[in-house]
Amino acid sequence: MTQFQEVMRQQLESSMHVELEKLLSTAKGADAEVSKKDFEGFRKIFHRFLQVKGPSVEWAKINRPPEDSIQPYDKIKVKGIPDNIADSLNKLVVVKLNGGLGTSMGCKGPKSLISVRNENTFLDLTVQQIEHLNKTYNADVPLVLMNSFNTDEDTKKILQKYTHHRVKIHTFNQSRYPRINKESLLPVATDMGMTGENADVWYPPGHGDIYASFYNSGLLEQLIAEGKEYIFVSNIDNLGATVDLCILNHLVSQPNGKRCEFIMEVTDKTRADVKGGTLIQYDGKLRLLEIAQVPKAHVDEFKSVTKFKIFNTNNLWISLSAIQRLQEQNAMDMEIIVNPKTIDGGLNVIQLETAVGAAIKCFDNALGINVPRSRFLPVKTTSDLLLVMSNLYSLEAGSLTMSERREFPTTPHVKLGSSFTKVQEYISRFESIPDMLELDHLTVSGDVTFGKHVSLKGTVIIIANHGDRIDIPAGSMLENKIVSGNLRILDH
């Protein structure tokens, strides 16, 4: 950094400090203390953002992870589950990342409250899974939800319905950071309010914020005092992320000197996952490499399924005492993700975020476990929703498992067009969910509806041209068919 750049950086930091103090002076009551802690975290990330320029990795220094640093799941499963697994369960806390809204699927409110199967929401299924564990093993696994200011109020209202379930539920909130004007690099907010013109000037800073906000909430300390040792963290919309007793047993049975503080579940990449973060060896440490960190010249190489064979599912097992230690030592080091946005009125802003998995390099004896694809079942779109609502999966005690009647281990490739993007529209287009047990590929585009008891097999492509409508009659069986325009059914 040149002397001029250093002077500019100091001036920017100083201006930011002044603006944050002005904002804090408008905070009221208990909010003031919370906001103060949030802003401490924001100052740190802003300081690092001003210092780091260019990609955060040198491509030439990237190595493949050593053989033993990513274990195949089968090797861990072979050990089996000991009789005293309840002791291990009593050391575990399940944490679900619950900061997201259902806006991408046309829903208002928290994504976790969208119905995904038999009227059950993501949150219902999560509670059922943990309650089943607690009853089966006479254990006490609590559920912790990391909410954001977008989801906290609605989530807390709904939690009352679980008061008689055998699951203790705790919540804490992600930090609230100010969006930054892309030109001036100063906050857009004029006060700490969150309504009116201040409605979209704040953001939750990515799931990497879990470490600081969990620590700041006091809940981390409380759980350690209760004898809890590990958290299992996952996205609430990943229906494959259930508590795996074999991984838990592997974690707690490590000898003292080799205690594993962090396990990342990875799975084999397919062409659909080319943008997913992968594990590399860098400066002698296991590290998560995200596409945003890759120099432009190497993006195609990063997307290669042959060179980088696995990707991060964001199912993570992490030591609570290690989080506490790293927070107290201010040693949590995660790459900054700069996320550009345009807010109402056309103003360009940036938000500085971090990813929870990026902290892997800070923990001792970190490990990747290559798990079956079934542990990665995210529902990001209505195309994903169609899969999990179909007879491809059976539901038991909150867990979805692939039907034994399906002959292939992979799920079909489903692409629903823009007429299906919003959940309400999607639901109105299916009188019942088709039989998809023998389906390989489905593309639907345009104004298409499905009657009851439709069966889809092989490759099915249904395209209604602009202004046309296609109604698939009840009881139809489409196998390797292209249906187009005015309901011509062609063999494919």
Side-chain angles (χ1 to χ4, degrees), residues 218-339:
L219 186 56
L220 178 80
E221 196 178 348
Q222 179 192 324
L223 291 166
I224 290 173
E226 288 172 12
K228 304 301 179 191
E229 293 182 17
Y230 291 96
I231 51 173
F232 171 50
V233 183
S234 63
N235 299 351
I236 198 150
D237 64 8
N238 178 6
L239 293 175
T242 56
V243 172
D244 185 284
L245 297 178
C246 297
I247 296 177
L248 175 65
N249 181 46
H250 181 76
L251 195 59
V252 298
S253 61
Q254 298 299 305
N256 269 344
K258 292 285 285 178
R259 265 293 159 99
C260 176
E261 294 183 341
F262 195 110
I263 285 177
M264 176 181 287
E265 293 185 34
V266 296
T267 195
D268 291 343
K269 245 188 201 185
T270 66
R271 303 237 173 265
D273 317 303
V274 291
K275 291 182 178 174
T278 193
L279 282 178
I280 56 169
Q281 183 82 350
Y282 194 91
D283 288 343
K285 284 272 196 178
L286 205 54
R287 178 162 164 177
L288 179 66
L289 178 66
E290 299 275 11
I291 194 163
Q293 296 158 246
V294 176
K296 281 197 171 56
H298 296 281
V299 166
D300 286 344
E301 201 180 331
F302 174 81
K303 289 181 176 179
S304 150
V305 179
T306 46
K307 178 160 185 179
F308 297 105
K309 293 186 168 68
I310 49 133
F311 74 99
N312 168 27
T313 63
N314 223 33
N315 301 347
L316 308 167
W317 304 73
I318 313 171
S319 155
L320 284 167
S321 58
I323 296 173
Q324 188 178 44
R325 179 188 79 233
L326 290 164
Q327 279 300 129
E328 285 169 356
Q329 292 173 355
N330 196 18
M332 204 64 87
D333 173 26
M334 289 168 281
E335 289 72 36
I336 295 168
I337 301 159
V338 181
N339 193 349

Side-chain angles (χ1 to χ4, degrees), residues 173-190:
N173 262 16
Q174 241 172 312
S175 305
R176 170 164 71 116
Y177 283 3
R179 282 179 164 156
I180 305 169
N181 183 315
K182 195 178 175 188
E183 299 305 317
S184 67
L185 291 185
L186 292 174
V188 183
T190 51

Side-chain angles (χ1 to χ4, degrees), residues 22-63:
K22 273 190 211 164
L23 285 172
L24 277 176
S25 69
T26 68
K28 296 179 177 70
D31 283 352
E33 204 47 48
V34 173
S35 301
K36 200 173 166 187
K37 280 185 176 171
D38 286 354
F39 281 12
E40 279 169 23
F42 177 76
R43 280 191 182 98
K44 282 179 196 167
I45 200 171
F46 185 69
H47 172 79
R48 286 185 45 229
F49 162 70
L50 292 179
Q51 286 189 313
V52 176
K53 285 284 169 271
S56 57
V57 291
E58 289 176 45
W59 198 253
K61 288 169 68 177
I62 288 176
N63 292 304

Side-chain angles (χ1 to χ4, degrees), residues 400-452:
L400 289 181
T401 44
M402 178 77 79
S403 168
E404 288 174 3
R405 288 160 54 214
R406 179 159 173 90
E407 288 178 15
F408 331 101
T410 55
T411 51
H413 193 62
V414 172
K415 287 196 289 193
L416 299 179
S418 55
S419 307
F420 291 79
T421 305
K422 294 185 173 172
V423 171
Q424 289 315 112
E425 261 189 296
Y426 153 88
I427 287 168
S428 70
R429 291 182 175 278
F430 291 97
E431 278 195 57
S432 69
I433 302 295
D435 171 353
M436 291 163 51
L437 276 175
E438 294 176 47
L439 181 70
D440 296 324
H441 179 109
L442 173 68
T443 295
V444 185
S445 177
D447 187 1
V448 178
T449 63
F450 292 79
K452 282 188 174 173

